[in-house]
Amino acid sequence: MSNVQNVRALAAETLYNVVDKGASLNQELPFASQGLPLKDKALLQQICYGVLRYLPSLENYCQHLVEDPLKGKRRIFQFLLYVGIYQLQHMRVPPHAAISETVNALAQLRALGLKGLINAILRSFQRQQVELEEKAKLIPVCLYNHPNWFIKQVKEAYPDSWEDILAENQQQAPMWLRVNQAQYSTQEYSDMLTANDIEHTLNPDFIDGIKLAKPRDVFSLPEFDTGACSVQDAAAQLAARFLEPKADDTILDACAAPGGKTCHILELADADVLALDSDSTRLERVKQNLTRIGLGADLQCGDASQPHTWWDEKLFDRILLDVPCSATGVIRRHPDIKWLRRASDIEDLAKLQNDILDSIWPLLKPGGTLVYATCSVLPQENQQQVAKFLANNDDAEHIPLHDKDTVTMPGLQLLPGESDGFYYAKLVKKI
Protein backbone atom coordinates (compact mmCIF):
# COMPACT_ATOMS: atom_id res chain seq x y z
CA MET A 1 0.00 0.00 0.00
CA SER A 2 1.30 3.43 -0.92
CA ASN A 3 2.18 5.81 1.89
CA VAL A 4 -0.63 8.31 1.35
CA GLN A 5 -2.18 10.63 3.91
CA ASN A 6 -5.56 11.25 2.31
CA VAL A 7 -7.86 9.17 4.52
CA ARG A 8 -10.34 8.45 1.71
CA ALA A 9 -7.55 7.08 -0.48
CA LEU A 10 -6.33 4.91 2.37
CA ALA A 11 -9.86 3.67 2.96
CA ALA A 12 -10.32 2.75 -0.71
CA GLU A 13 -7.05 0.82 -0.75
CA THR A 14 -7.84 -0.94 2.53
CA LEU A 15 -11.31 -1.97 1.38
CA TYR A 16 -9.96 -3.19 -1.95
CA ASN A 17 -7.44 -5.38 -0.15
CA VAL A 18 -10.11 -6.81 2.16
CA VAL A 19 -13.00 -7.40 -0.26
CA ASP A 20 -11.14 -8.26 -3.47
CA LYS A 21 -7.90 -9.69 -2.09
CA GLY A 22 -9.34 -11.47 0.96
CA ALA A 23 -7.18 -9.71 3.55
CA SER A 24 -8.35 -9.29 7.16
CA LEU A 25 -9.47 -5.83 8.21
CA ASN A 26 -7.66 -6.42 11.52
CA GLN A 27 -4.41 -6.74 9.60
CA GLU A 28 -5.00 -4.01 7.04
CA LEU A 29 -6.19 -1.17 9.29
CA PRO A 30 -3.09 -0.93 11.52
CA PHE A 31 -0.88 -0.95 8.43
CA ALA A 32 -2.96 1.70 6.64
CA SER A 33 -3.13 3.99 9.68
CA GLN A 34 0.61 4.09 10.39
CA GLY A 35 1.72 7.68 10.95
CA LEU A 36 -1.79 9.12 10.91
CA PRO A 37 -2.97 11.51 13.65
CA LEU A 38 -5.43 9.92 16.10
CA LYS A 39 -8.36 11.82 14.58
CA ASP A 40 -7.57 10.50 11.10
CA LYS A 41 -7.08 6.96 12.41
CA ALA A 42 -10.57 7.09 13.89
CA LEU A 43 -11.99 8.45 10.63
CA LEU A 44 -10.29 5.73 8.59
CA GLN A 45 -11.72 3.04 10.86
CA GLN A 46 -15.20 4.58 10.78
CA ILE A 47 -15.25 4.69 6.98
CA CYS A 48 -13.88 1.16 6.51
CA TYR A 49 -16.25 -0.37 9.05
CA GLY A 50 -19.17 1.54 7.56
CA VAL A 51 -18.52 0.56 3.95
CA LEU A 52 -18.22 -3.10 4.95
CA ARG A 53 -21.47 -2.90 6.91
CA TYR A 54 -23.38 -1.49 3.93
CA LEU A 55 -21.44 -3.00 1.03
CA PRO A 56 -24.39 -4.57 -0.88
CA SER A 57 -26.36 -1.32 -0.81
CA LEU A 58 -23.34 0.68 -1.97
CA GLU A 59 -22.72 -1.80 -4.80
CA ASN A 60 -26.37 -1.53 -5.82
CA TYR A 61 -26.30 2.26 -5.94
CA CYS A 62 -23.22 2.18 -8.16
CA GLN A 63 -24.87 -0.29 -10.54
CA HIS A 64 -27.46 2.40 -11.21
CA LEU A 65 -25.01 5.31 -11.30
CA VAL A 66 -22.02 3.94 -13.23
CA GLU A 67 -22.53 3.12 -16.91
CA ASP A 68 -19.23 1.28 -17.28
CA PRO A 69 -18.26 -0.60 -14.08
CA LEU A 70 -14.74 0.12 -12.86
CA LYS A 71 -12.91 -3.18 -13.28
CA GLY A 72 -9.38 -4.52 -13.42
CA LYS A 73 -6.77 -1.89 -12.62
CA ARG A 74 -9.53 0.65 -12.05
CA ARG A 75 -11.31 -1.51 -9.46
CA ILE A 76 -9.90 0.50 -6.55
CA PHE A 77 -11.83 3.55 -7.75
CA GLN A 78 -15.03 1.56 -7.35
CA PHE A 79 -14.18 1.37 -3.65
CA LEU A 80 -13.46 5.09 -3.63
CA LEU A 81 -17.04 5.60 -4.84
CA TYR A 82 -18.29 3.43 -1.98
CA VAL A 83 -16.26 5.59 0.41
CA GLY A 84 -17.82 8.76 -0.98
CA ILE A 85 -21.38 7.46 -1.02
CA TYR A 86 -21.09 6.04 2.49
CA GLN A 87 -20.08 9.47 3.78
CA LEU A 88 -23.01 11.14 2.02
CA GLN A 89 -25.50 8.59 3.31
CA HIS A 90 -24.36 7.78 6.83
CA MET A 91 -21.82 10.30 8.16
CA ARG A 92 -22.09 13.82 9.51
CA VAL A 93 -19.40 15.08 7.16
CA PRO A 94 -20.84 18.07 5.21
CA PRO A 95 -21.73 16.83 1.72
CA HIS A 96 -19.44 19.31 -0.06
CA ALA A 97 -16.50 18.19 2.12
CA ALA A 98 -17.29 14.50 1.62
CA ILE A 99 -17.30 14.94 -2.16
CA SER A 100 -14.27 17.22 -2.39
CA GLU A 101 -12.11 15.07 -0.10
CA THR A 102 -13.10 11.93 -1.98
CA VAL A 103 -12.26 13.54 -5.32
CA ASN A 104 -8.98 14.85 -3.87
CA ALA A 105 -8.04 11.26 -3.01
CA LEU A 106 -7.44 10.70 -6.73
CA ALA A 107 -4.24 12.72 -6.52
CA GLN A 108 -2.86 10.24 -4.00
CA LEU A 109 -4.12 7.35 -6.11
CA ARG A 110 -2.47 8.83 -9.22
CA ALA A 111 -5.68 9.08 -11.21
CA LEU A 112 -6.39 12.79 -11.63
CA GLY A 113 -8.05 12.02 -14.95
CA LEU A 114 -10.98 10.44 -13.09
CA LYS A 115 -11.82 13.58 -11.09
CA GLY A 116 -14.71 14.57 -13.33
CA LEU A 117 -16.21 11.06 -13.34
CA ILE A 118 -16.02 10.53 -9.55
CA ASN A 119 -17.38 14.01 -8.87
CA ALA A 120 -20.29 13.51 -11.28
CA ILE A 121 -21.25 10.11 -9.84
CA LEU A 122 -21.24 11.38 -6.25
CA ARG A 123 -23.37 14.37 -7.19
CA SER A 124 -25.76 12.07 -9.06
CA PHE A 125 -26.13 10.02 -5.89
CA GLN A 126 -27.03 13.18 -3.99
CA ARG A 127 -29.81 13.95 -6.46
CA GLN A 128 -31.15 10.38 -6.66
CA GLN A 129 -30.52 9.24 -3.08
CA VAL A 130 -34.12 8.75 -1.96
CA GLU A 131 -35.09 6.88 -5.13
CA LEU A 132 -32.00 4.65 -5.00
CA GLU A 133 -32.57 3.79 -1.35
CA GLU A 134 -36.17 2.78 -2.01
CA LYS A 135 -35.13 0.53 -4.91
CA ALA A 136 -32.42 -1.15 -2.81
CA LYS A 137 -34.88 -2.00 -0.04
CA LEU A 138 -36.69 -4.33 -2.44
CA ILE A 139 -33.60 -6.59 -2.59
CA PRO A 140 -33.05 -8.69 0.58
CA VAL A 141 -29.25 -8.63 0.41
CA CYS A 142 -29.40 -4.81 0.26
CA LEU A 143 -32.21 -4.43 2.79
CA TYR A 144 -30.28 -6.44 5.39
CA ASN A 145 -26.74 -5.84 4.07
CA HIS A 146 -25.72 -9.45 4.65
CA PRO A 147 -24.91 -12.18 2.10
CA ASN A 148 -27.90 -14.27 0.99
CA TRP A 149 -26.47 -17.54 2.30
CA PHE A 150 -26.12 -16.08 5.80
CA ILE A 151 -29.59 -14.53 5.78
CA LYS A 152 -31.01 -17.93 4.84
CA GLN A 153 -29.16 -19.83 7.57
CA VAL A 154 -30.00 -17.33 10.30
CA LYS A 155 -33.65 -17.29 9.22
CA GLU A 156 -33.80 -21.09 9.44
CA ALA A 157 -32.08 -21.20 12.83
CA TYR A 158 -33.95 -18.29 14.43
CA PRO A 159 -37.34 -17.90 12.72
CA ASP A 160 -38.59 -15.49 15.42
CA SER A 161 -35.49 -13.31 15.85
CA TRP A 162 -33.47 -13.47 12.64
CA GLU A 163 -34.15 -9.86 11.69
CA ASP A 164 -33.02 -8.70 15.14
CA ILE A 165 -29.74 -10.61 14.72
CA LEU A 166 -29.07 -9.00 11.34
CA ALA A 167 -29.95 -5.56 12.71
CA GLU A 168 -27.61 -5.98 15.69
CA ASN A 169 -24.80 -6.95 13.33
CA GLN A 170 -25.10 -3.49 11.78
CA GLN A 171 -24.56 -1.68 15.10
CA GLN A 172 -21.35 -0.54 16.76
CA ALA A 173 -20.43 -3.05 19.46
CA PRO A 174 -20.29 -1.85 23.08
CA MET A 175 -16.98 -1.64 24.93
CA TRP A 176 -16.93 -4.04 27.88
CA LEU A 177 -14.29 -4.27 30.58
CA ARG A 178 -13.43 -7.37 32.59
CA VAL A 179 -12.40 -6.48 36.13
CA ASN A 180 -9.38 -8.37 37.47
CA GLN A 181 -10.89 -9.95 40.57
CA ALA A 182 -7.39 -10.67 41.90
CA GLN A 183 -7.00 -6.89 42.30
CA TYR A 184 -10.48 -5.35 42.70
CA SER A 185 -14.09 -6.42 42.96
CA THR A 186 -16.38 -5.28 40.15
CA GLN A 187 -18.02 -2.78 42.49
CA GLU A 188 -14.69 -1.40 43.65
CA TYR A 189 -13.57 -0.80 40.08
CA SER A 190 -16.96 0.68 39.24
CA ASP A 191 -16.41 3.18 42.06
CA MET A 192 -13.00 4.05 40.60
CA LEU A 193 -14.59 4.73 37.20
CA THR A 194 -17.23 6.91 38.82
CA ALA A 195 -14.53 8.87 40.64
CA ASN A 196 -12.92 9.49 37.24
CA ASP A 197 -16.22 10.58 35.65
CA ILE A 198 -16.29 7.57 33.33
CA GLU A 199 -19.93 6.70 32.63
CA HIS A 200 -20.74 2.99 32.75
CA THR A 201 -23.27 0.32 33.74
CA LEU A 202 -23.18 -3.05 35.50
CA ASN A 203 -25.12 -6.18 34.56
CA PRO A 204 -25.77 -8.99 37.09
CA ASP A 205 -25.58 -11.58 34.28
CA PHE A 206 -21.90 -10.71 33.78
CA ILE A 207 -20.40 -10.50 37.26
CA ASP A 208 -16.90 -9.54 36.14
CA GLY A 209 -18.06 -7.04 33.52
CA ILE A 210 -18.56 -3.30 33.19
CA LYS A 211 -20.03 -1.74 30.05
CA LEU A 212 -18.77 1.72 29.17
CA ALA A 213 -21.26 4.27 27.90
CA LYS A 214 -18.90 5.00 25.01
CA PRO A 215 -15.56 3.60 23.84
CA ARG A 216 -12.39 5.27 25.09
CA ASP A 217 -8.62 4.89 25.08
CA VAL A 218 -7.70 2.04 27.44
CA PHE A 219 -4.87 4.02 29.00
CA SER A 220 -7.39 6.55 30.26
CA LEU A 221 -8.86 3.78 32.46
CA PRO A 222 -7.72 3.62 36.12
CA GLU A 223 -4.72 1.29 36.55
CA PHE A 224 -5.20 -0.38 33.18
CA ASP A 225 -1.44 -0.54 32.69
CA THR A 226 -1.08 -2.58 35.90
CA GLY A 227 -3.81 -5.06 34.99
CA ALA A 228 -6.80 -3.80 36.97
CA CYS A 229 -9.05 -4.47 33.98
CA SER A 230 -9.00 -5.79 30.43
CA VAL A 231 -11.12 -5.13 27.38
CA GLN A 232 -13.25 -8.22 26.73
CA ASP A 233 -16.82 -8.64 25.60
CA ALA A 234 -19.27 -9.76 28.26
CA ALA A 235 -20.07 -13.03 26.46
CA ALA A 236 -16.40 -14.02 26.33
CA GLN A 237 -16.14 -13.40 30.08
CA LEU A 238 -18.43 -16.36 30.74
CA ALA A 239 -15.83 -18.89 29.53
CA ALA A 240 -13.67 -18.85 32.64
CA ARG A 241 -16.72 -18.72 34.92
CA PHE A 242 -18.24 -21.82 33.32
CA LEU A 243 -14.86 -23.57 33.54
CA GLU A 244 -14.79 -22.91 37.34
CA PRO A 245 -11.00 -23.07 37.79
CA LYS A 246 -9.65 -24.05 41.21
CA ALA A 247 -6.27 -23.49 42.81
CA ASP A 248 -3.62 -26.00 41.66
CA ASP A 249 -5.77 -27.31 38.78
CA THR A 250 -3.92 -28.24 35.61
CA ILE A 251 -5.80 -26.44 32.84
CA LEU A 252 -5.50 -26.45 29.06
CA ASP A 253 -6.66 -23.34 27.25
CA ALA A 254 -6.72 -24.65 23.70
CA CYS A 255 -6.77 -22.13 20.82
CA ALA A 256 -5.85 -19.53 23.45
CA ALA A 257 -4.82 -16.44 21.47
CA PRO A 258 -5.10 -13.54 22.02
CA GLY A 259 -5.23 -14.62 25.66
CA GLY A 260 -8.20 -12.88 27.27
CA LYS A 261 -9.66 -16.12 28.56
CA THR A 262 -6.24 -17.38 29.71
CA CYS A 263 -5.81 -14.23 31.78
CA HIS A 264 -9.31 -14.50 33.21
CA ILE A 265 -8.71 -18.09 34.35
CA LEU A 266 -5.58 -17.01 36.21
CA GLU A 267 -7.34 -14.00 37.73
CA LEU A 268 -9.89 -16.39 39.26
CA ALA A 269 -7.56 -19.15 40.46
CA ASP A 270 -3.89 -19.88 41.09
CA ALA A 271 -3.88 -22.67 38.54
CA ASP A 272 -1.27 -24.31 36.32
CA VAL A 273 -2.36 -23.21 32.84
CA LEU A 274 -1.07 -24.33 29.45
CA ALA A 275 -2.05 -21.80 26.77
CA LEU A 276 -1.97 -23.49 23.37
CA ASP A 277 -2.28 -21.87 19.95
CA SER A 278 -1.19 -22.87 16.46
CA ASP A 279 -0.14 -19.31 15.52
CA SER A 280 3.17 -18.24 17.08
CA THR A 281 2.55 -14.56 16.28
CA ARG A 282 -0.83 -14.59 18.01
CA LEU A 283 0.73 -16.50 20.91
CA GLU A 284 2.95 -13.47 21.48
CA ARG A 285 -0.24 -11.51 22.18
CA VAL A 286 -1.04 -13.98 24.97
CA LYS A 287 2.38 -13.31 26.47
CA GLN A 288 1.86 -9.54 26.30
CA ASN A 289 -1.53 -9.75 28.00
CA LEU A 290 -0.16 -11.97 30.77
CA THR A 291 2.75 -9.61 31.32
CA ARG A 292 0.45 -6.60 31.71
CA ILE A 293 -1.65 -8.24 34.42
CA GLY A 294 1.39 -9.76 36.15
CA LEU A 295 0.41 -13.44 35.84
CA GLY A 296 2.07 -16.38 34.14
CA ALA A 297 1.17 -19.45 32.08
CA ASP A 298 3.04 -22.01 30.02
CA LEU A 299 2.80 -21.06 26.34
CA GLN A 300 2.90 -23.73 23.65
CA CYS A 301 2.67 -23.39 19.89
CA GLY A 302 0.79 -26.39 18.59
CA ASP A 303 -2.22 -27.71 16.70
CA ALA A 304 -5.11 -28.68 18.98
CA SER A 305 -6.17 -31.38 16.51
CA GLN A 306 -2.70 -33.00 16.71
CA PRO A 307 -1.94 -33.45 20.46
CA HIS A 308 0.78 -36.02 19.76
CA THR A 309 2.98 -33.19 18.44
CA TRP A 310 3.01 -31.22 21.72
CA TRP A 311 1.28 -33.09 24.60
CA ASP A 312 3.39 -34.54 27.45
CA GLU A 313 0.69 -37.16 28.25
CA LYS A 314 -0.26 -35.59 31.61
CA LEU A 315 -4.04 -35.33 31.87
CA PHE A 316 -5.79 -32.03 32.57
CA ASP A 317 -8.33 -31.24 35.28
CA ARG A 318 -10.08 -28.72 33.04
CA ILE A 319 -10.01 -27.82 29.37
CA LEU A 320 -11.31 -24.68 27.69
CA LEU A 321 -11.88 -25.47 24.04
CA ASP A 322 -12.58 -22.21 22.19
CA VAL A 323 -12.51 -23.74 18.73
CA PRO A 324 -11.93 -22.00 15.37
CA CYS A 325 -15.32 -20.97 14.02
CA SER A 326 -17.16 -18.77 11.52
CA ALA A 327 -17.11 -15.81 13.98
CA THR A 328 -20.67 -15.02 12.89
CA GLY A 329 -21.47 -13.90 16.44
CA VAL A 330 -18.99 -11.02 16.29
CA ILE A 331 -19.82 -9.53 12.89
CA ARG A 332 -20.54 -6.13 14.44
CA ARG A 333 -16.90 -6.04 15.63
CA HIS A 334 -15.53 -7.52 12.39
CA PRO A 335 -17.85 -6.58 9.49
CA ASP A 336 -15.41 -8.04 6.97
CA ILE A 337 -16.51 -11.50 8.18
CA LYS A 338 -19.68 -11.10 6.10
CA TRP A 339 -17.67 -10.85 2.89
CA LEU A 340 -14.69 -13.09 3.69
CA ARG A 341 -16.77 -16.05 4.87
CA ARG A 342 -18.50 -18.39 2.40
CA ALA A 343 -21.36 -20.85 2.91
CA SER A 344 -18.98 -23.72 2.12
CA ASP A 345 -16.72 -22.63 5.00
CA ILE A 346 -19.30 -23.69 7.59
CA GLU A 347 -19.14 -27.37 6.71
CA ASP A 348 -15.33 -27.27 6.70
CA LEU A 349 -15.25 -25.50 10.07
CA ALA A 350 -17.72 -27.97 11.58
CA LYS A 351 -15.46 -30.84 10.52
CA LEU A 352 -12.41 -29.12 12.03
CA GLN A 353 -14.30 -28.50 15.27
CA ASN A 354 -15.33 -32.14 15.41
CA ASP A 355 -11.73 -33.25 14.83
CA ILE A 356 -10.41 -30.96 17.58
CA LEU A 357 -13.06 -32.04 20.08
CA ASP A 358 -12.37 -35.71 19.38
CA SER A 359 -8.61 -35.14 19.68
CA ILE A 360 -8.71 -33.08 22.88
CA TRP A 361 -11.26 -35.13 24.85
CA PRO A 362 -8.76 -37.95 25.67
CA LEU A 363 -6.51 -35.36 27.39
CA LEU A 364 -9.12 -34.75 30.12
CA LYS A 365 -8.98 -36.58 33.45
CA PRO A 366 -11.95 -38.71 34.53
CA GLY A 367 -14.09 -36.31 36.53
CA GLY A 368 -12.60 -33.38 34.64
CA THR A 369 -14.51 -30.53 32.99
CA LEU A 370 -14.43 -29.39 29.36
CA VAL A 371 -16.07 -26.17 28.20
CA TYR A 372 -16.72 -25.99 24.45
CA ALA A 373 -17.00 -22.45 23.09
CA THR A 374 -17.46 -20.59 19.81
CA CYS A 375 -18.26 -17.01 18.79
CA SER A 376 -20.75 -18.33 16.24
CA VAL A 377 -24.54 -18.18 16.01
CA LEU A 378 -24.86 -21.13 13.62
CA PRO A 379 -26.23 -24.43 15.04
CA GLN A 380 -23.93 -26.56 12.85
CA GLU A 381 -20.97 -25.29 14.88
CA ASN A 382 -22.75 -25.28 18.22
CA GLN A 383 -25.74 -27.34 19.41
CA GLN A 384 -25.48 -29.85 16.56
CA GLN A 385 -21.76 -30.27 17.13
CA VAL A 386 -22.10 -30.98 20.86
CA ALA A 387 -25.22 -33.14 20.51
CA LYS A 388 -23.36 -35.33 18.02
CA PHE A 389 -20.38 -35.61 20.37
CA LEU A 390 -22.57 -36.60 23.31
CA ALA A 391 -24.29 -39.25 21.21
CA ASN A 392 -20.95 -40.74 20.18
CA ASN A 393 -19.15 -40.63 23.56
CA ASP A 394 -20.64 -42.59 26.44
CA ASP A 395 -18.09 -41.16 28.90
CA ALA A 396 -19.24 -37.57 28.28
CA GLU A 397 -21.78 -36.16 30.74
CA HIS A 398 -23.75 -33.07 29.77
CA ILE A 399 -23.92 -30.30 32.41
CA PRO A 400 -26.85 -27.90 31.81
CA LEU A 401 -26.05 -24.18 31.83
CA HIS A 402 -29.73 -23.11 31.97
CA ASP A 403 -33.22 -24.59 32.29
CA LYS A 404 -33.63 -25.44 28.58
CA ASP A 405 -30.15 -26.91 28.15
CA THR A 406 -30.77 -30.55 27.19
CA VAL A 407 -28.75 -33.41 25.72
CA THR A 408 -30.51 -33.08 22.37
CA MET A 409 -30.33 -29.25 22.34
CA PRO A 410 -27.26 -28.68 24.50
CA GLY A 411 -25.53 -25.51 25.56
CA LEU A 412 -26.15 -21.80 25.93
CA GLN A 413 -26.53 -19.68 22.80
CA LEU A 414 -26.10 -15.94 23.26
CA LEU A 415 -27.15 -13.70 20.37
CA PRO A 416 -25.72 -10.26 19.50
CA GLY A 417 -27.20 -7.54 21.68
CA GLU A 418 -26.07 -6.73 25.19
CA SER A 419 -23.13 -9.02 24.48
CA ASP A 420 -21.67 -10.59 21.36
CA GLY A 421 -23.03 -13.81 19.89
CA PHE A 422 -21.40 -16.73 21.72
CA TYR A 423 -22.06 -20.40 22.39
CA TYR A 424 -21.05 -22.52 25.39
CA ALA A 425 -21.52 -26.15 26.35
CA LYS A 426 -20.19 -27.82 29.49
CA LEU A 427 -19.15 -31.47 29.61
CA VAL A 428 -17.71 -33.63 32.38
CA LYS A 429 -15.85 -36.91 31.78
CA LYS A 430 -17.50 -39.73 33.70
CA ILE A 431 -15.38 -41.52 36.28
Side-chain angles (χ1 to χ4, degrees):
M1 182 178 292
S2 55
N3 184 26
V4 298
Q5 295 302 310
N6 181 291
V7 173
R8 280 76 176 176
L10 284 170
E13 288 184 305
T14 300
L15 291 162
Y16 171 73
N17 287 338
V18 170
V19 178
D20 279 21
K21 299 297 185 182
S24 162
L25 187 60
N26 272 358
Q27 295 173 333
E28 289 297 307
L29 265 182
F31 180 62
S33 60
Q34 285 178 0
L36 288 179
L38 286 176
K39 183 179 179 181
D40 285 350
K41 285 183 180 181
L43 177 60
L44 176 63
Q45 178 171 312
Q46 183 181 6
I47 292 174
C48 289
Y49 271 63
V51 170
L52 290 169
R53 285 192 176 112
Y54 293 96
L55 186 61
S57 294
L58 299 170
E59 289 176 334
N60 181 263
Y61 303 149
C62 283
Q63 287 172 7
H64 291 282
L65 295 169
V66 183
E67 289 186 13
D68 297 316
L70 298 166
K71 298 179 179 179
K73 293 181 179 180
R74 304 211 306 173
R75 176 70 172 157
I76 192 170
F77 307 114
Q78 187 81 12
F79 287 95
L80 185 62
L81 285 174
Y82 300 159
V83 167
I85 294 172
Y86 173 75
Q87 293 170 87
L88 292 170
Q89 189 179 25
H90 295 286
M91 291 180 65
R92 295 180 180 178
V93 180
H96 66 88
I99 293 175
S100 63
E101 285 299 314
T102 302
V103 172
N104 288 341
L106 291 164
Q108 303 287 358
L109 297 173
R110 299 179 182 178
L112 289 173
L114 291 176
K115 274 192 169 187
L117 176 65
I118 299 298
N119 182 70
I121 293 170
L122 294 180
R123 294 196 181 280
S124 292
F125 175 77
Q126 275 189 296
R127 293 190 298 271
Q128 301 176 45
Q129 181 172 348
V130 174
E131 178 187 351
L132 290 170
E133 288 174 348
E134 289 304 312
K135 286 182 178 178
K137 288 177 182 177
L138 301 176
I139 306 169
V141 72
C142 296
L143 176 62
Y144 298 110
N145 285 289
H146 283 71
N148 275 318
W149 73 265
F150 184 69
I151 295 173
K152 180 182 177 182
Q153 292 205 15
V154 173
K155 195 172 183 178
E156 288 177 356
Y158 306 98
D160 297 326
S161 58
W162 65 275
E163 287 183 295
D164 294 335
I165 294 170
L166 300 181
E168 283 292 342
N169 285 350
Q170 293 296 92
Q171 306 304 311
Q172 180 178 351
M175 182 173 177
W176 279 89
L177 306 179
R178 184 191 73 242
V179 178
N180 183 349
Q181 302 295 328
Q183 295 187 20
Y184 297 100
S185 70
T186 305
Q187 186 59 56
E188 286 171 339
Y189 197 75
S190 171
D191 293 342
M192 292 167 65
L193 292 177
T194 300
N196 284 270
D197 296 321
I198 299 175
E199 190 178 347
H200 64 281
T201 55
L202 306 180
N203 185 322
D205 292 333
F206 306 107
I207 59 177
D208 301 308
I210 294 177
K211 185 170 74 170
L212 300 185
K214 57 183 179 180
R216 62 188 299 126
D217 179 10
V218 291
F219 291 104
S220 69
L221 300 169
E223 299 183 35
F224 177 84
D225 56 342
T226 55
C229 72
S230 299
V231 177
Q232 185 182 42
D233 184 75
Q237 296 178 25
L238 295 177
R241 287 293 179 178
F242 288 150
L243 194 66
E244 298 183 285
K246 302 290 189 296
D248 300 323
D249 277 348
T250 56
I251 299 176
L252 171 63
D253 183 1
C255 315
K261 299 178 184 70
T262 303
C263 293
H264 195 190
I265 291 168
L266 290 164
E267 290 167 6
L268 297 178
D270 184 14
D272 181 10
V273 177
L274 172 61
L276 178 79
D277 202 271
S278 61
D279 188 326
S280 59
T281 302
R282 282 170 51 81
L283 205 57
E284 186 63 28
R285 289 277 307 282
V286 182
K287 182 179 179 180
Q288 292 168 1
N289 284 321
L290 287 167
T291 299
R292 182 179 61 83
I293 65 172
L295 296 171
D298 294 325
L299 306 185
Q300 177 74 50
C301 187
D303 184 340
S305 68
Q306 304 289 329
H308 66 276
T309 62
W310 52 265
W311 183 43
D312 64 4
E313 299 191 3
K314 294 179 182 178
L315 298 176
F316 295 95
D317 295 297
R318 300 176 196 274
I319 297 175
L320 174 58
L321 193 57
D322 187 359
V323 292
C325 71
S326 63
T328 46
V330 293
I331 283 173
R332 61 186 183 178
R333 296 188 188 278
H334 307 284
D336 52 328
I337 288 169
K338 292 190 289 185
W339 317 119
L340 297 178
R341 197 71 67 228
R342 299 287 181 268
S344 58
D345 295 339
I346 308 306
E347 183 178 346
D348 293 341
L349 284 165
K351 183 181 185 306
L352 175 61
Q353 292 153 2
N354 179 76
D355 291 346
I356 292 175
L357 187 50
D358 284 344
S359 298
I360 288 294
W361 182 250
L363 280 58
L364 185 66
K365 289 180 182 178
T369 297
L370 182 144
V371 171
Y372 176 92
T374 79
C375 55
S376 170
V377 297
L378 300 179
Q380 303 96 304
E381 303 178 86
N382 298 338
Q383 295 97 336
Q384 293 175 18
Q385 190 73 258
V386 175
K388 176 184 174 184
F389 181 81
L390 287 167
N392 293 336
N393 291 271
D394 293 337
D395 61 344
E397 180 183 358
H398 162 252
I399 307 298
L401 297 175
H402 58 95
D403 292 343
K404 297 181 181 179
D405 184 352
T406 65
V407 173
T408 53
M409 285 292 291
L412 171 66
Q413 180 69 69
L414 299 171
L415 299 176
E418 180 75 349
S419 72
D420 289 342
F422 246 83
Y423 174 81
Y424 290 105
K426 188 171 183 176
L427 309 175
V428 167
K429 182 175 284 189
K430 297 176 183 176
I431 298 176

